[in-house]
Amino acid sequence: MPVRVVETSAPGPSQFPGSISRHTSLPACTLLSVGQAFSGTQNVSSLQKEEAWRVNVRLQGCDLDHGYLCGTMEALNVPMADTPVVTFWQGEIVDTKNFTFYTGKWEATPEDDVRHWTKFPSFSPLLSQVQADGGKSLDLSSYPYIFMRWKEQYFVNVGTDCGLTIAGFYYVCFSCSDGSINGFYYDPNSSPMPITLVTSRERKAKNNFEDVRDLYSGTQLSFPEI
């Protein structure tokens, strides 16, 4: 989610290299699929005031075998923008085959990783093994939660001089049972930025958010920054 620039740093192209090749792929999850939509509110805090931006997220691609997914995120009613601000993001799925719990980039240290992952109750049973070897020896193929990182790559419809930054990324936990998501945004140069989303009944794949309708009040997804 784009936020106001504090110290602008241009994000470079993201690389998604494989790192481990010893476990089976994660099980197929029908709630984590192309076309799945989410909608909610992003609360942006500053010393002056708090703002609430309406947010739409849609999954545009998902490849569990390679630990990859991508999508678009649209922020509505952003005060400094004349139009909704749309960003494209790519995600890494922590499966210990392609990616582990240690980020290794984006200014995140192993300590930052552990500090954020431990905010998820579902991560607790995995903590000791992650501390031992980064979780490389874990088999997550039957685990009922999918852990991910979402990193915004570029602005789709506005320029980089829009006064916003996308330098941070999200630690994400997805429940395979009900499609609920919890996440924490990390950016050492930004103020706290909580976000809440709900899943959408509409799952027809689209390339924009103009026709996002018929949202229902499903499980909430909270994305406060630590």
Side-chain angles (χ1 to χ4, degrees), residues 29-33 35-41 55-59 148 150 172-182 195-204 209 212-223:
C29 183
T30 57
L31 295 175
L32 186 66
S33 58
Q36 180 64 60
F38 303 89
S39 181
T41 302
V55 178
N56 294 318
V57 172
R58 185 179 295 278
L59 297 184
M148 300 174 280
W150 292 2
V172 177
C173 178
F174 180 90
S175 171
C176 293
S177 62
D178 60 10
S180 64
I181 295 177
N182 283 291
I195 180 173
T196 300
L197 303 175
V198 294
T199 53
S200 168
R201 288 187 184 278
E202 183 189 17
R203 296 189 48 202
K204 181 180 179 181
F209 291 97
V212 176
R213 300 189 183 94
D214 300 327
L215 299 176
Y216 74 102
S217 54
T219 304
Q220 290 190 340
L221 309 98
S222 300
F223 284 74

Side-chain angles (χ1 to χ4, degrees), residues 17 43 71 91 116 132 153 200:
N43 296 319
H116 284 76
Q153 300 298 308
S200 168

Side-chain angles (χ1 to χ4, degrees), residues 16-47:
F16 292 89
S19 57
I20 306 296
S21 58
R22 54 189 302 182
H23 294 308
T24 57
S25 300
L26 293 172
C29 183
T30 57
L31 295 175
L32 186 66
S33 58
V34 174
Q36 180 64 60
F38 303 89
S39 181
T41 302
Q42 173 124 9
N43 296 319
V44 182
S45 301
S46 67
L47 295 177

Side-chain angles (χ1 to χ4, degrees), residues 111-185:
E111 292 75 19
D112 292 324
D113 291 329
V114 171
R115 182 163 58 92
H116 284 76
W117 292 126
T118 52
K119 294 295 180 181
F120 304 114
S122 55
F123 177 79
S124 296
L126 313 176
L127 176 59
S128 60
Q129 197 58 50
V130 171
Q131 290 177 320
D133 63 1
K136 294 179 181 179
S137 60
L138 290 170
D139 185 354
L140 301 175
S141 59
S142 59
Y143 205 65
Y145 297 90
I146 296 177
F147 298 95
M148 300 174 280
R149 286 177 288 263
W150 292 2
K151 177 72 175 77
E152 289 169 300
Q153 300 298 308
Y154 56 82
F155 293 100
V156 174
N157 64 332
V158 297
T160 56
D161 58 349
C162 63
L164 304 174
T165 179
I166 52 175
F169 70 96
Y170 294 97
Y171 293 89
V172 177
C173 178
F174 180 90
S175 171
C176 293
S177 62
D178 60 10
S180 64
I181 295 177
N182 283 291
F184 296 92
Y185 184 80

Side-chain angles (χ1 to χ4, degrees), residues 6 8 44 62 64 70 74 87 92 97 99 133-134 142 144 150 161 202 205 209 222 224:
V6 176
T8 303
V44 182
C62 183
L64 294 180
C70 64
E74 179 192 47
T87 56
E92 300 175 345
K97 180 182 73 169
F99 303 101
D133 63 1
S142 59
W150 292 2
D161 58 349
E202 183 189 17
F209 291 97
S222 300

